[in-house]
Amino acid sequence: METFSAIAKRRRGARYPVYALEHGLTSDEVEEVWNAASASIRYLPPSASHWLVWCAIGAEAGYRYSGDEFWPALERHPDEWRTNDYRQRLRNFYRRFSVEFGGPEPKGRWAGHFNIIAWPISGAILPLYLQTPFAHHLFDQRFALPRAVQAGGDAVGQLLLDRYSGTSSRFRDFLQQTELTSQILLALRDEGRAPEVTRIEPSVLSKIVSDLERRRDARSYLRDARRVIETTTFKIGAELRPKPSGRDLAKQKEASAGRFTLLARKFPDGHVALGLRLPDFRSAGLNRDNLAGQRIRFAGKDEPSQPASVLLALSGGERRLDVFPAPNADLVTAEDSSDGMAALLGSVARIDERPAWVLRRQLDGAYREVLGGHVRSGQDYLLLVRGNLRNDVIESAGLQRAVVLAKDVEAYATRTPSILSEAHRKAFKALGISVRTGISVAPVGLSPRPGDLPAWLVTEPVLVAASADIDVARLMVSLDEAESQIIACSNSRALIGIEHLEPGRHSLAFKPLLTANGEWATPSDMFEFEILAPQAWPEAMRGKSGFRLIIEPPDATFEMVVSGDATLQAFGPPRRGVQWSLVTYGAAGHPECTMQLGGTRVGEPSNLLSAALEKACRRYSDQIDEAYQIDIVASLDELGRQAERFPRTVEPLRWKFNPTNGAVRLIDETDHEELPTLSCYSLGNPMEKSPLPLETALVGVRPDGEGALYVARYKNLTQSIFVSAPSNSKFKDFSSLGTKQNLSLPPHRGLAVIRLIDGMRRWEKAKPVGHWALVRRDLTVRRLREELTALCCGRDFAGLVLSNPPSLDQAQAKVGGSQGFGYRMRRSDWPTDYVSAVPAFVHYARHYQVESDEWLARLALTLAYRPLKLRLDAIDDKTEFLAHLLDQGHLLRGAFLAHAVSRMPATAILKETA
């Protein structure tokens, strides 16, 4: 009590939690207390006076927890906790610990599904089986963690949760404890710094680190991650602002669309021809309606009158300019002097009056007007003015006269220098022309990776060269809008290097100090770039391999791939050989077993892989049954490898099979708000339910005979497993096993249908374990389906459609009702899926007057195609309704015949028809 009280008092101000693992006992003292506590519960429940002892012992058990089953880790004698009902009292002890000392409270799915054992495991801080995945995950996210560390709160834990892409459900549940994982990481960072208030007691943290470093890979991961987290401390500013160039271009384009602009072309002899680029008259509001019946005339001595609608066709075109327009003169006029037409044309019919018009040379050699009337460094320009310029202005601005082929205008050509001096600025200012200055930034050294933004890895320095087009003495540089730094320039150039940036988008903003007047200019440019975190080798290779694995449907399970209900194919270079393997993983995420499946070729049918998987499931059934994750891996020589992962969610109530003795045991980690209910169905009588005592299931039970199905239910959770006993004979069918199945059904036919469908659903969902379990389970489901067919259609008819091969012609003769209906059921090309078969079946049933009720026809087809999907929720008396449906013999026999035809190969149908 005193130990926990002292820790809680120290941490109360910082609001750090207290963990039950911080009990301060030595290992010998723990063992002594543990043995005494174990002896005390042989006859009595855990005493409330010893509640702290149980919290400490539970945390120790949680720390040693292997990820499979918690209660054996707490036991000193077999089954002392698995078979008692004291678990809710243990949870109450931890709730009291949380209230009195500020202990952690479990959160997320982990807390909801495992609301008993989540408490001691949370008090254990970081269990042994999660330490290697935790170190690996820290290593993967090491460059993203510094920013989360500086954000404080649970940001670290939330980042670790959000960025986890693995498939270990146990580890994901652990990461949902964001407050806990944040405290662990920050404690690892602070170790050795002697903080005023420790997040985890040094002795406990030292124990965790020591256990982490026992595995070489975990030791390497942890050390590299801690090195980055401890040394990377820098300030991160606000999010990047977008570069304005895109918006400026859009505004410029919009402005030029609604007015006349000047353009020029220079001939080889040096002469310059002028022209006009016409605006987009539609954007100015002109259309065929307001131009109808109007006529216009372009400015010029010999320009003819034209229909006004020609403006729409000329939009965006060019016209030669032989006479420069007079000030504020209209370039196009309307012959109709109405105010409306004049107003429409007046907004676009002129060029803006300026002291000088600036035209910049484009890539195609043409000069086009710069709407802002400004110049930049290192560009070719043509200046148009109405009169001659003074010689001193021509000389200071570096202009040259040009011969222009138009009247009433003078032209001057110039190429601005790469660095504009103050004299240039003054000369252009005298002409009414502004000078736009800027800073260009380009990467140097190691080339960045291509993409939307230049990108470097976090392990690479960012090197950029900044050059100004004006005389600059120094640059003020700001990273991500943080505090600026002053950098000296040489010849208006500066080299900038940055290291230890976290992954994400960043920006550099520049503000130049002008040499001439010693003033800081407004920000001239912003350089945006991206820092990328190194990818783990498997993920990186997954994206770079020369082929792909495609699974259909995308949410398919491992069992669906094995059975052929889902396809998994490799897409790559045709006919290349693909080597397949199966890898299983344990609770801690470590590979447990690797099984070679053999090889196929790219483009071959997926049923070859399904056959290899089914063979592996029979040979390695025990390893596959116990796996927490299964990977199907494809390797294609130098093109790399791909893996399709199939995680398995761990539930608080589950069965565990022991292949050594063939027994199955129930793992019960529920809160026992109500006791689980258990039942058993033998293979010899798969429909007869027998009760199974909870105590027997917790210790372990072996099936009598060839096998048994065990079902455990708790609230809304149902877990079932079929245990198959070994067979010494070669297995072909049930007759070879000597198993005679007794299907004890009630005499009421409607109730019998319900029992059969429930039985099929129960056996189909059961997890098969043991020798030939998958085959025995599937044959049992097939036996139940055969009985359902006989119940619906009669045993003689069922024998015809279920025989191998089926006798379809004889079955057609027994459909009855209408010869046309039976003929259609036999001769139609029925699809294999229910949804596609419904329209035709309903139509034939109605057309041949077998059944006019569409719903009844659908139900009959459902019984034939997919009986497990039968739903009668809206029916009050389901048994009587089904009895009525069974009376529709013609309809049911037609449905089952259609299903039998759908399962026949098309070639077989054509051959039999011929």
Side-chain angles (χ1 to χ4, degrees):
M1 175 72 79
E2 291 77 11
T3 302
F4 290 124
S5 298
I7 298 174
K9 184 177 180 181
R10 291 197 305 268
R11 297 179 184 173
R12 189 169 291 115
R15 296 185 178 180
Y16 296 162
V18 178
Y19 304 98
L21 194 64
E22 301 174 300
H23 45 67
L25 300 176
T26 66
S27 58
D28 292 338
E29 290 172 337
V30 168
E31 292 300 317
E32 182 179 352
V33 171
W34 205 329
N35 291 329
S38 174
S40 69
I41 62 169
R42 293 182 183 178
Y43 309 105
L44 295 173
S47 172
S49 59
H50 299 148
W51 70 278
L52 271 180
V53 172
W54 283 110
C55 287
I57 293 173
E60 286 287 345
Y63 186 76
R64 305 175 190 184
Y65 176 50
S66 65
D68 184 20
E69 187 175 2
F70 174 76
W71 298 116
L74 186 60
E75 295 173 343
R76 276 294 183 263
H77 298 283
D79 304 327
E80 68 180 8
W81 271 97
R82 277 175 285 183
T83 57
N84 69 33
D85 200 23
Y86 304 151
R87 53 189 65 185
Q88 291 196 36
R89 183 167 298 200
L90 184 64
R91 178 176 58 187
N92 293 336
F93 291 162
Y94 278 98
R95 285 175 172 170
R96 181 178 175 183
F97 186 91
S98 177
V99 172
E100 294 194 15
F101 302 114
E105 293 189 15
K107 297 179 181 178
R109 176 189 176 276
W110 173 250
H113 281 62
F114 300 87
N115 52 18
I116 296 288
I117 68 172
W119 288 88
I121 294 174
S122 296
I125 306 178
L126 184 59
L128 285 170
Y129 84 103
L130 293 175
Q131 290 180 357
T132 298
F134 187 71
H136 196 170
H137 193 41
L138 289 186
F139 176 81
D140 289 343
Q141 306 302 326
R142 63 193 184 280
F143 297 108
L145 286 170
R147 181 175 185 178
V149 169
Q150 293 188 354
D154 297 345
V156 171
Q158 192 62 47
L159 180 139
L160 292 175
L161 174 61
D162 293 342
R163 297 201 176 188
Y164 178 64
S165 58
T167 56
S168 171
S169 59
R170 286 288 201 189
F171 188 57
R172 184 178 296 278
D173 290 341
F174 170 74
L175 291 178
Q176 290 179 353
Q177 321 305 306
T178 55
E179 180 182 5
L180 173 61
T181 53
S182 297
Q183 295 297 332
I184 294 173
L185 178 70
L186 296 175
L188 290 171
R189 182 201 63 177
D190 295 340
E191 188 185 22
R193 296 186 179 184
E196 184 177 349
V197 180
T198 58
R199 301 172 187 271
I200 299 175
E201 284 298 285
S203 59
V204 177
L205 184 61
S206 176
K207 175 184 177 181
I208 293 174
V209 173
S210 176
D211 290 335
L212 267 168
E213 293 185 342
R214 287 181 181 177
R215 289 180 61 99
R216 185 174 62 181
D217 54 348
R219 178 171 64 249
S220 176
Y221 290 143
L222 180 62
R223 290 179 178 178
D224 288 349
R226 292 179 72 178
R227 187 181 301 116
V228 174
I229 297 167
E230 292 170 357
T231 59
T232 306
T233 55
F234 51 84
K235 184 176 180 181
I236 299 296
E239 294 296 325
L240 294 178
R241 295 174 300 186
K243 296 181 73 173
S245 57
R247 292 196 298 269
D248 290 347
L249 290 174
K251 291 180 180 179
Q252 192 178 59
K253 184 176 181 181
E254 182 181 354
S256 64
R259 60 181 293 273
F260 282 90
T261 56
L262 296 166
L263 57 89
R265 297 188 185 274
K266 202 171 186 179
F267 296 113
D269 59 2
H271 292 182
V272 175
L274 297 185
L276 289 171
R277 182 177 181 83
L278 277 64
D280 183 358
F281 292 104
R282 290 183 178 85
S283 65
L286 300 181
N287 53 55
R288 294 190 179 276
D289 293 335
N290 52 34
L291 293 178
Q294 305 288 336
R295 298 189 69 82
I296 55 95
R297 186 188 302 272
F298 284 97
K301 181 179 180 181
D302 300 322
E303 289 293 337
S305 171
Q306 303 180 64
S309 59
V310 76
L311 294 177
L312 301 180
L314 296 176
S315 291
E318 298 178 359
R319 289 181 62 85
R320 181 182 176 90
L321 189 62
D322 295 323
V323 179
F324 200 75
N328 298 319
D330 291 337
L331 297 173
V332 60
T333 57
E335 293 185 352
D336 183 2
S337 59
S338 64
D339 294 339
M341 191 62 186
L344 285 173
L345 290 178
S347 61
V348 297
R350 302 184 182 92
I351 61 172
D352 293 339
E353 188 64 22
R354 297 178 181 274
W357 289 267
V358 180
L359 285 71
R360 184 169 67 89
R361 189 174 187 270
Q362 307 291 326
L363 293 177
D364 60 356
Y367 290 81
R368 292 182 175 83
E369 183 179 355
V370 179
L371 297 181
H374 59 264
V375 295
R376 293 182 180 272
S377 63
Q379 303 287 332
D380 291 313
Y381 291 98
L382 191 69
L383 306 184
L384 301 179
V385 293
R386 292 191 181 276
N388 291 318
L389 298 178
R390 301 194 316 268
N391 290 333
D392 60 329
V393 175
I394 295 175
E395 184 177 353
S396 60
L399 305 179
Q400 295 180 347
R401 289 183 182 271
V403 179
V404 60
L405 303 179
K407 297 179 180 179
D408 302 333
V409 67
E410 298 293 334
Y412 298 87
T414 183
R415 178 172 179 81
T416 55
S418 58
I419 298 180
L420 292 168
S421 65
E422 186 63 22
H424 285 97
R425 294 168 61 88
K426 290 181 179 179
F428 283 114
K429 185 176 182 181
L431 294 171
I433 299 173
S434 62
V435 176
R436 290 283 180 91
T437 59
I439 298 176
S440 61
V441 184
V444 296
L446 188 65
S447 299
R449 283 147 186 80
D452 295 336
L453 294 175
W456 288 266
L457 291 178
V458 291
T459 55
E460 301 168 349
V462 178
L463 296 176
V464 295
S467 58
D469 53 13
I470 52 177
D471 289 335
V472 173
R474 289 176 292 172
L475 284 176
M476 182 185 293
V477 183
S478 173
L479 173 65
D480 295 331
E481 300 183 356
E483 185 177 351
S484 301
Q485 298 184 31
I486 308 300
I487 299 176
C489 296
S490 175
N491 296 326
S492 298
R493 292 174 59 87
L495 185 65
I496 301 165
I498 312 170
E499 291 182 311
H500 302 307
L501 290 178
E502 73 153 5
R505 296 169 64 100
H506 299 275
S507 65
L508 285 171
F510 299 90
K511 184 181 289 186
L513 176 66
L514 304 182
T515 304
N517 54 19
E519 296 180 354
W520 291 105
T522 55
S524 299
D525 201 359
M526 179 178 288
F527 178 69
E528 296 183 350
F529 59 98
E530 188 173 11
I531 298 297
L532 305 176
Q535 283 185 293
W537 180 82
E539 285 76 13
M541 290 305 297
R542 185 180 179 92
K544 295 179 180 179
S545 60
F547 72 104
R548 286 289 181 270
L549 279 184
I550 305 295
I551 186 170
E552 289 291 341
D555 57 347
T557 63
F558 175 74
E559 288 74 15
M560 292 174 64
V561 179
V562 175
S563 64
D565 294 332
T567 61
L568 181 64
Q569 287 185 292
F571 288 84
R575 305 302 298 170
R576 288 291 301 272
V578 182
Q579 294 298 318
W580 297 89
S581 59
L582 203 64
V583 183
T584 62
Y585 293 81
H590 302 306
E592 298 283 347
C593 179
T594 300
M595 297 151 265
Q596 299 300 324
L597 301 177
T600 64
R601 293 190 178 275
V602 174
E604 287 185 340
S606 61
N607 60 347
L608 298 177
L609 175 61
S610 298
L613 285 171
E614 186 175 357
K615 183 178 180 180
C617 288
R618 294 174 181 173
R619 183 176 180 182
Y620 302 98
S621 60
D622 299 335
Q623 294 89 333
I624 294 174
D625 294 337
E626 297 300 320
Y628 284 79
Q629 175 187 317
I630 301 174
D631 285 4
I632 301 178
V633 182
S635 301
L636 208 158
D637 297 333
E638 76 281 358
L639 297 183
R641 66 196 298 272
Q642 294 277 310
E644 190 67 36
R645 296 174 173 175
F646 300 93
R648 290 178 170 178
T649 303
V650 181
E651 298 292 350
L653 187 72
R654 57 193 184 277
W655 295 97
K656 184 178 179 63
F657 176 66
N658 186 348
T660 304
N661 58 13
V664 66
R665 181 169 58 85
L666 180 69
I667 298 178
D668 181 14
E669 294 174 341
T670 63
D671 56 8
H672 276 204
E673 291 182 358
E674 59 185 61
L675 289 178
T677 59
L678 293 92
S679 53
C680 172
Y681 300 84
S682 68
L683 187 63
N685 198 338
M687 299 292 294
E688 184 175 348
K689 177 180 178 181
S690 302
L692 179 65
L694 177 60
E695 295 77 11
T696 303
L698 293 173
V699 174
V701 59
R702 295 181 62 184
D704 296 329
E706 287 79 12
L709 170 67
Y710 300 96
V711 181
R713 292 184 176 88
Y714 180 77
K715 295 183 177 178
N716 295 326
L717 177 64
T718 300
Q719 294 288 318
S720 57
I721 187 171
F722 169 59
V723 183
S724 178
S727 174
N728 296 324
S729 60
K730 187 176 180 180
F731 184 82
K732 295 180 180 179
D733 52 30
F734 278 108
S735 60
S736 66
L737 290 174
T739 302
K740 293 184 179 180
Q741 289 186 303
N742 177 28
L743 303 183
S744 52
L745 296 174
H748 193 288
R749 294 200 303 161
L751 184 57
V753 170
I754 294 177
R755 294 281 176 84
L756 281 170
I757 293 176
D758 288 343
M760 291 170 60
R761 187 178 291 114
R762 184 185 308 114
W763 279 87
E764 190 167 275
K765 288 185 176 181
K767 175 183 176 182
V769 296
H771 189 69
W772 296 108
L774 183 63
V775 178
R776 279 174 161 161
R777 185 202 64 177
D778 291 348
L779 287 175
T780 301
V781 174
R782 184 185 304 174
R783 174 73 178 88
L784 297 177
R785 189 182 184 94
E786 291 173 355
E787 191 65 23
L788 177 66
T789 305
L791 189 62
C792 293
C793 307
R795 202 161 297 276
D796 293 341
F797 185 89
L800 295 175
V801 295
L802 296 175
S803 60
N804 188 18
S807 303
L808 300 181
D809 287 336
Q810 297 181 43
Q812 174 188 340
K814 289 181 175 292
V815 169
S818 168
Q819 291 184 0
F821 181 66
Y823 178 85
R824 291 294 187 183
M825 297 301 101
R826 166 65 184 89
R827 303 301 175 185
S828 298
D829 184 13
W830 290 101
T832 56
D833 65 294
Y834 166 82
V835 176
S836 302
V838 165
F841 183 77
V842 171
H843 168 72
Y844 290 140
R846 181 179 295 136
H847 178 76
Y848 291 103
Q849 299 180 359
V850 173
E851 181 55 63
S852 59
D853 190 333
E854 179 180 344
W855 189 47
L856 282 179
R858 284 176 172 270
L859 290 178
L861 198 66
T862 301
L863 282 173
Y865 265 79
R866 50 177 195 180
L868 300 186
K869 297 288 186 179
L870 185 69
R871 293 291 182 268
L872 301 174
D873 299 332
I875 305 299
D876 294 331
D877 193 343
K878 298 179 178 56
T879 57
E880 292 301 327
F881 176 81
L882 286 173
H884 169 68
L885 179 61
L886 293 178
D887 290 336
Q888 315 302 314
H890 309 317
L891 181 68
L892 288 169
R893 286 190 289 272
F896 278 86
L897 177 57
H899 181 247
V901 171
S902 72
R903 292 183 288 114
M904 290 285 290
T907 54
I909 296 175
L910 291 174
K911 182 177 180 181
E912 187 172 339
T913 303

